[in-house]
Amino acid sequence: MIRSLILLLFVFFSILPSYSSAQNEVLKVKRQVSGIIVDSLGTPISNVTIVLKSKQDSLTTSSDQDGIYIFPNVVQTTFTLSVTSVEFVAIVKKYIFNVNATKIVVPPITMNKGTLVLKEVKVNGTPTIVYKTDTVEYRANDYSVSRDANVGELLRKMEGIEVSKDGVVTHNGQQITKAKLNGKTFAGGDVAQAIKNLPALIVDKIQIVDDYGEQANRTGIKDGEAQKVINITTRADKSIGNFGHLLSEYGSNNRYNSNVFAQRINANQEIGVITEFKRTIDGIANTTSTTSASNNSSNSENFNNQVTSPGVTLNFSPTLTYRDNLSGRTELVANYSYKLKKNDYSTSRYGYLNYESGISDFKNNNLGNGTVNNHNLSIEINYYIDKFNFLQLSPSLTTYNSIFFNKDESNYINNFTSGFEHQRIYSSNNNKNENLNLNATALFVHTFLNPRKALSIQAGVGRQRNTIYNDVSAFYQYFGDTTENELINDSTSHIRAFRTNDVKTYQGLITFGQPLSKSLMFDYIAQIKASENENTAEADNVLDAETSQVTPYLKSNYNYTYIDDKFTLDMRWLKGRSALTLGISFLNARLFGSGKQDQQLYRTNRNATKLSPIIRYSYTWSKLEKLSLTYNGNYIQPEFQLLQPFTDRMDPNYQVVGNPSLKVGFVHLIRAAYNKYIPNSKINLSLNSTSRIYENRAAVNSTQLLIPLNDNATKTVNITQYTNLSGDVSSSTFYSVTKQLNDRKYSLSLNGSFLFNQTNALSNGSKYNIQDFRSNQRFGPKINPSEKLELYPFLGYEIAKTQSSFANAKQTSINTVRIAIDGKLRINEAWNVTGFISKNYVKGLTNYNKNPFVINVGLDKKVTTKNNIVVMFNAFDILHQNDFLQQTVGPMGTTYTSSSDKSRYFLIGVKFAFQRWGGTPMKDGKPMKRRGDGSFIP
């Protein structure tokens, strides 16, 4: 089989050089081009000669008595029209239309009296990229993609947007967390499902939105942090129809993938189903050209393609979407998803832990399996009471159940100032987790005769119950040397623990906006959030597993209430190009409760008050250029596991103790962004930065205790507690420079990111910090000279450095150079060849001296005249070198995780696609009007 794959690779790269001599051959897809010729008064002109020319077309026709002309068999969507008539000035215009269009209607051409020949004018409509308030908008027609492309392939061509192979979408470095279609949640908000299944041909605009929620959208009053959302608006002529596909693939390592997607849209009506059933090999390093899979940090934002635990996972995940107007005033949006995941995994890790007394080097091998069941139902009912009043009800239900079993073998070698230690642990763990989450929110918005004046009231209640069961048995060995020849002592441990967390939540929000003048607004925001927490924890020593004989050794109950009040007054000033919001927030956080561990009582009574400024400023030179700055601050509620006075002794050598005396934390959030699009030069510039500065953040406080093993040897027991420390910092900066060339057939793109995180902690009472710095610079041209060829070469350079203020701590510095090319060649109407090649040069990873060379190839063939059935073959990692390490940096040290050794595999499959369109939604004989988010006005 290897020989066959290599032969296929050779054929693929043999075809590419010959493409230069064949790139003018055409895909024989015919489309109709029509339009009308009128004079300056709008009267149709007959007998006008129209010549259409492109690289593959040279056609001539004339207008009829109604001024209409038609070219029935046009190949190219980029062409020039030369319009001439004896009595009128000749016109030459260049047009660019979407490659998916089968019927092109050219805007009316107006001819003036005279005989002068005008210079060629390029007609391209509105700018490709528009920067609006909280929204970046891309016009899809300006990006050429194949007729069978999905939204993900369209996004990949857009400036500042990066798409990974697993469907993670980032815009200027920030991850998109939710997907919408025409303004409403699609597929439960799953971004990967949306971009993978929705076809590109339906897209009118792509909107990247900073979403502050429905209340802010209707009143303009913003509070809190925005969610990054992608909203896909449909073309008018693709807003009525049925479409979808069926996919089935099978491959080596018993790997298979099935996908069913069916969607009905009719203006605001959406009915859809997406179902996946697949068996995947996890832990394969992501070698896409967008981000690195070799250097990731758990503390770093937007490093989102971490290597998962190597293993095999069975996934079954149906998703249902329903949206419709139940009446003229009531709209229903419902999303349901179910996810079943069965996982068998085998993980190999190594790394080191920093302590004040020295460094602990460890190795770990883990073998296990697990099952996860997850149901998620969300409903949104929108009731447009009348012109001035709106009501929204949003109930939701989420359940999560998991069962995991694993066997673990760990080896620790401690070179401490107190002496040498060598510890080996064999353990097994049964874990069960059940979670139920119920929420309901109601929002009422009233606008006054002056539409800028608005009142909103929002209320919500919720209930969350979480139960965790752990059963851990372990065998410990202690040696006096590194060779394990000198056994000092051994011991066993078997502990069962059961924890529950029951939370009732309440929230209320009132906003009021009052215009003081044409350019000045006054806003008032009152918000309260409260949670009642009931927590229990029990742990038993198991003396005899067969007879279930146990000795209770620890029991803890801890109940507390957290209340977060926020009252804000601000002034919004909008004049000319500037928009400024200045305000002050009064914040009050209260944490009080009581609990007991065994016979010891604990009480918590924390109160924090702060005045925090609100600053939002934007300067808009035009809809093509914008600068924005924001600042706000909020309290952070400590998690219940950190608060509960319970000593977790599941591992007797690494014990964890909650701290009911923790304070409430506070975070300062600062954002800045600058964006500019130059339409004539097709240059897009983007720069954004986000910083978080923490006060009284919950931090690790580790203590090492020496326990005698015999008269000559000791072991170290690590006690992890929690305290409050200030000075943690998280900062990220991203930039993007893109230049489009030759009608977007070529582009040059330079993207980069700089991430910095500083985490503070205590060890034996001494404060220290770990700093993590990441630099990722990427140059990625895009080459698309015709519909037949797409090439995406890539050059990247990454630096990952970690350092600790511990005097004897290990420092790391990892440098990676990545060279890659991703491409697609359409040999003819039926055959397509795809390929991906990546060569990586890695320096600085501990015990790693490989430079992986990864090659993936694919071949597909359309087997029907309608091109709706495709047979596919894909081979991955032909040379079997996709062997990376994942680096994870934490407050105690650094861990390296190996990727899966099953990265070489192939898939063969078939895909059937269907679509039928019904035109443009109409009302009273006219096209329905639409809102800015793409939704239709009934």
Side-chain angles (χ1 to χ4, degrees):
M1 184 184 75
I2 300 302
R3 291 182 177 179
S4 299
L5 295 178
I6 294 176
L7 179 60
L8 177 62
L9 177 66
F10 176 79
V11 172
F12 170 62
F13 286 102
S14 298
I15 293 173
L16 281 180
S18 64
Y19 173 76
S20 58
S21 62
Q23 63 179 352
N24 291 324
E25 295 181 11
V26 302
L27 292 171
K28 298 180 181 179
V29 177
K30 305 299 183 181
R31 47 181 60 82
Q32 176 181 291
V33 174
S34 63
I36 186 172
I37 311 295
V38 297
D39 62 17
S40 58
L41 300 177
T43 304
I45 308 173
S46 61
N47 298 318
V48 176
T49 300
I50 304 103
V51 178
L52 185 152
K53 287 190 176 182
S54 72
K55 290 185 177 180
Q56 285 83 30
D57 300 287
S58 182
L59 306 171
T60 303
T61 189
S62 60
S63 59
D64 62 17
Q65 60 183 3
D66 296 319
I68 296 174
Y69 62 92
I70 298 176
F71 293 100
N73 297 306
V74 179
V75 175
Q76 287 281 296
T77 56
T78 298
F79 52 78
T80 298
L81 290 182
S82 300
V83 185
T84 57
S85 178
V86 176
E87 299 179 1
F88 295 88
V89 177
I91 296 176
V92 180
K93 289 187 177 182
K94 186 173 183 180
Y95 295 86
I96 302 174
F97 293 94
N98 192 289
V99 70
N100 297 315
T102 57
K103 290 186 178 181
I104 296 174
V105 178
V106 178
I109 297 176
T110 301
M111 302 189 73
N112 297 308
K113 290 283 187 178
T115 56
L116 293 176
V117 178
L118 301 181
K119 293 183 179 179
E120 178 181 305
V121 178
K122 187 174 181 179
V123 178
N124 220 357
T126 58
T128 300
I129 304 175
V130 175
Y131 294 100
K132 302 179 180 179
T133 304
D134 301 325
T135 301
V136 182
E137 189 172 88
Y138 296 81
R139 190 177 60 185
N141 273 347
D142 287 350
Y143 301 90
S144 177
V145 293
S146 62
R147 296 179 304 281
D148 55 354
N150 58 31
V151 171
E153 294 173 84
L154 173 64
L155 293 176
R156 192 177 184 185
K157 293 178 177 287
M158 293 179 169
E159 296 87 338
I161 297 180
E162 295 178 307
V163 183
S164 71
K165 293 291 185 183
D166 53 3
V168 175
V169 181
T170 57
H171 179 257
N172 292 334
Q174 294 181 291
Q175 184 175 341
I176 307 297
T177 58
K178 188 175 183 179
K180 292 184 176 183
L181 181 65
N182 287 336
K184 295 299 179 182
T185 302
F186 178 79
D190 191 317
V191 176
Q193 292 281 25
I195 68 169
K196 180 173 64 175
N197 290 289
L198 287 173
L201 63 87
I202 73 169
V203 181
D204 179 37
K205 296 174 183 176
I206 293 292
Q207 297 175 334
I208 307 298
V209 183
D210 290 329
D211 190 1
Y212 289 87
E214 190 70 28
Q215 174 272 332
N217 294 338
R218 293 189 171 274
T219 66
I221 302 174
K222 303 171 187 176
D223 183 61
E225 191 171 352
Q227 182 182 20
K228 210 73 172 178
V229 172
I230 181 171
N231 182 47
I232 302 165
T233 71
T234 57
R235 291 166 44 184
D237 63 336
K238 293 293 186 289
S239 294
I240 298 178
N242 304 306
F243 56 95
H245 63 249
L246 305 175
L247 171 69
S248 180
E249 294 178 292
Y250 185 80
S252 57
N253 298 321
N254 196 25
R255 181 172 182 147
Y256 50 82
N257 176 38
S258 298
N259 178 270
V260 176
F261 170 60
Q263 183 73 27
R264 162 70 177 171
I265 59 175
N266 185 356
N268 287 336
Q269 183 191 69
E270 297 173 14
I271 304 174
V273 59
I274 302 173
T275 300
E276 281 191 336
F277 182 59
K278 59 185 179 181
R279 187 177 186 269
T280 61
I281 308 300
D282 292 330
I284 295 177
N286 187 348
T287 56
T288 59
S289 60
T290 55
T291 50
S292 168
S294 58
N295 309 313
N296 292 295
S297 169
S298 59
N299 296 323
S300 300
E301 298 175 34
N302 302 310
F303 274 73
N304 43 53
N305 62 326
Q306 296 187 9
V307 181
T308 56
S309 296
V312 178
T313 298
L314 177 70
N315 288 279
F316 175 61
S317 55
T319 301
L320 303 175
T321 298
Y322 178 82
R323 173 187 179 184
D324 201 1
N325 292 325
L326 301 182
S327 67
R329 296 182 179 179
T330 306
E331 180 187 45
L332 172 66
V333 181
N335 285 273
Y336 168 76
S337 64
Y338 170 69
K339 294 183 179 180
L340 169 65
K341 179 181 289 187
K342 293 186 176 182
N343 179 234
D344 295 301
Y345 53 89
S346 176
T347 305
S348 178
R349 298 186 179 97
Y350 68 91
Y352 60 88
L353 300 172
N354 293 315
Y355 297 104
E356 187 180 24
S357 56
I359 294 175
S360 174
D361 293 294
F362 69 87
K363 293 182 179 180
N364 171 270
N365 294 302
N366 186 278
L367 180 68
N369 59 76
T371 301
V372 175
N373 287 276
N374 177 245
H375 296 267
N376 195 312
L377 173 66
S378 63
I379 297 174
E380 179 182 301
I381 301 173
N382 299 312
Y383 180 40
Y384 300 85
I385 302 171
D386 54 37
K387 180 179 179 181
F388 302 102
N389 298 286
F390 169 79
L391 177 66
Q392 183 183 84
L393 303 176
S394 305
S396 65
L397 166 67
T398 301
T399 66
Y400 175 90
N401 298 279
S402 67
I403 300 176
F404 284 93
F405 172 77
N406 66 74
K407 291 185 177 181
D408 189 278
E409 179 183 345
S410 300
N411 194 46
Y412 293 87
I413 295 180
N414 305 331
N415 294 290
F416 291 162
T417 55
S418 57
F420 174 83
E421 298 177 7
H422 182 182
Q423 177 185 157
R424 179 175 287 276
I425 308 169
Y426 301 89
S427 65
S428 63
N429 180 18
N430 281 289
N431 175 277
K432 297 179 181 179
N433 190 337
E434 296 181 356
N435 183 280
L436 173 66
N437 197 342
L438 287 165
N439 287 284
T441 302
L443 169 66
F444 172 76
V445 179
H446 173 73
T447 54
F448 296 81
L449 290 176
N450 184 340
R452 297 170 60 213
K453 183 178 180 180
L455 169 71
S456 75
I457 302 173
Q458 183 172 300
V461 294
R463 177 76 178 270
Q464 180 177 337
R465 181 172 177 82
N466 188 33
T467 61
I468 302 173
Y469 170 79
N470 271 316
D471 185 329
V472 179
S473 59
F475 174 60
Y476 299 86
Q477 291 179 309
Y478 304 94
F479 300 94
D481 60 2
T482 60
T483 63
E484 302 182 8
N485 293 324
E486 184 183 343
L487 179 65
I488 297 175
N489 201 342
D490 58 34
S491 62
T492 61
S493 171
H494 190 175
I495 297 175
R496 293 174 181 168
F498 182 77
R499 304 184 72 163
T500 66
N501 172 234
D502 197 344
V503 184
K504 300 174 183 177
T505 59
Y506 311 90
Q507 62 173 336
L509 173 66
I510 298 176
T511 69
F512 177 71
Q514 172 68 55
L516 303 180
S517 67
K518 291 183 178 181
S519 59
L520 191 62
M521 285 284 297
F522 166 79
D523 295 331
Y524 170 73
I525 305 171
Q527 179 175 293
I528 181 170
K529 296 180 180 179
S531 64
E532 297 177 353
N533 298 259
E534 297 180 4
N535 306 290
T536 64
E538 299 180 17
D540 302 322
N541 279 318
V542 180
L543 304 180
D544 190 330
E546 293 184 0
T547 61
S548 298
Q549 184 179 358
V550 300
T551 300
Y553 80 90
L554 200 61
K555 187 174 183 179
S556 171
N557 296 288
Y558 183 64
N559 302 327
Y560 69 92
T561 299
Y562 177 77
I563 301 175
D564 189 348
D565 303 323
K566 185 176 182 179
F567 303 95
T568 302
L569 298 174
D570 68 49
M571 305 290 286
R572 281 185 288 150
W573 179 70
L574 176 61
K575 189 171 183 180
R577 298 175 177 177
S578 295
L580 175 65
T581 299
L582 291 176
I584 192 76
S585 290
F586 172 79
L587 299 100
N588 178 245
R590 288 164 284 167
L591 178 63
F592 55 91
S594 61
K596 181 173 70 173
Q597 177 170 282
D598 292 337
Q599 301 303 315
Q600 185 173 356
L601 297 177
Y602 295 89
R603 291 192 179 276
T604 300
N605 191 358
R606 296 290 190 182
N607 188 68
T609 302
K610 186 183 286 286
L611 289 175
S612 177
I614 301 293
I615 303 172
R616 281 189 292 270
Y617 174 73
S618 66
Y619 188 86
T620 306
W621 287 269
S622 69
K623 59 184 178 181
L624 306 177
E625 186 177 13
K626 183 180 179 181
L627 169 71
S628 62
L629 302 168
T630 64
Y631 167 85
N632 63 67
N634 287 290
Y635 280 114
I636 306 172
Q637 177 184 354
E639 297 179 4
F640 81 93
Q641 298 97 328
L642 310 185
L643 287 167
Q644 187 170 9
F646 175 72
T647 303
D648 184 348
R649 298 194 182 101
M650 302 305 292
D651 185 342
N653 292 335
Y654 291 87
Q655 302 179 23
V656 180
V657 183
N659 180 9
S661 298
L662 279 177
K663 300 176 184 178
V664 177
F666 191 85
V667 58
H668 304 267
L669 176 61
I670 305 167
R671 292 187 185 276
Y674 172 76
N675 297 281
K676 182 175 183 178
Y677 179 64
I678 307 173
N680 292 337
S681 302
K682 292 187 176 60
I683 296 176
N684 187 71
L685 308 173
S686 294
L687 176 67
N688 70 77
S689 178
T690 301
S691 296
R692 290 178 172 87
I693 303 171
Y694 296 90
E695 297 179 18
N696 287 324
R697 193 182 192 186
V700 170
N701 179 15
S702 63
T703 303
Q704 288 76 50
L705 302 178
L706 292 178
I707 306 298
L709 293 173
N710 57 29
D711 293 339
N712 300 317
T714 61
K715 72 171 182 177
T716 299
V717 175
N718 297 276
I719 310 295
T720 298
Q721 298 172 299
Y722 300 98
T723 187
N724 292 104
L725 293 177
S726 297
D728 282 13
V729 176
S730 173
S731 178
S732 58
T733 300
F734 298 86
Y735 71 87
S736 173
V737 180
T738 305
K739 165 68 175 175
Q740 301 281 358
L741 301 167
N742 194 16
D743 297 333
R744 301 186 182 278
K745 293 179 180 179
Y746 308 93
S747 73
L748 304 175
S749 179
L750 179 64
N751 302 294
S753 62
F754 302 93
L755 308 179
F756 173 78
N757 291 275
Q758 176 173 289
T759 304
N760 293 279
L762 293 177
S763 178
N764 293 320
S766 299
K767 184 178 179 180
Y768 70 96
N769 65 63
I770 289 182
Q771 295 180 344
D772 183 19
F773 171 76
R774 310 279 165 143
S775 170
N776 186 352
Q777 313 306 313
R778 310 179 293 279
F779 175 66
K782 299 175 184 179
I783 302 171
N784 189 190
S786 76
E787 298 175 12
K788 297 192 64 176
L789 180 66
E790 295 180 31
L791 289 176
Y792 301 92
F794 169 84
L795 174 65
Y797 180 63
E798 303 173 50
I799 301 173
K801 293 184 178 181
T802 62
Q803 62 183 26
S804 173
S805 58
F806 268 136
N808 57 353
K810 289 184 178 181
Q811 319 296 329
T812 66
S813 180
I814 302 170
N815 300 279
T816 304
V817 175
R818 176 174 287 107
I819 303 172
I821 185 168
D822 197 355
K824 185 173 185 178
L825 171 65
R826 295 176 180 86
I827 301 175
N828 54 37
E829 290 186 39
W831 289 91
N832 292 323
V833 179
T834 59
F836 173 78
I837 301 174
S838 173
K839 178 64 177 177
N840 301 268
Y841 300 90
V842 184
K843 181 180 179 182
L845 277 172
T846 306
N847 300 328
Y848 184 86
N849 56 3
K850 301 177 181 180
N851 296 311
F853 184 36
V854 179
I855 300 176
N856 304 334
V857 295
L859 186 68
D860 63 73
K861 183 181 188 302
K862 299 178 177 67
V863 296
T864 61
T865 56
K866 294 183 179 181
N867 292 332
N868 62 339
I869 298 180
V870 183
V871 176
M872 301 169 292
F873 173 80
N874 291 281
F876 300 88
D877 192 18
I878 294 175
L879 302 182
H880 204 188
Q881 294 190 20
N882 193 2
D883 183 10
F884 288 83
L885 287 179
Q886 170 195 2
Q887 183 194 51
T888 304
V889 179
M892 298 292 294
T894 300
T895 301
Y896 301 95
T897 303
S898 299
S899 59
S900 174
D901 61 354
K902 297 181 179 180
S903 58
R904 180 166 61 187
Y905 64 97
F906 71 86
L907 288 172
I908 186 169
V910 60
K911 180 179 180 180
F912 167 71
F914 61 91
Q915 56 180 296
R916 177 172 291 182
W917 306 104
T920 301
M922 307 293 287
K923 182 180 180 181
D924 299 329
K926 299 179 180 179
M928 293 179 66
K929 295 182 179 180
R930 306 180 74 172
R931 302 181 181 93
D933 61 3
S935 60
F936 290 83
I937 301 175

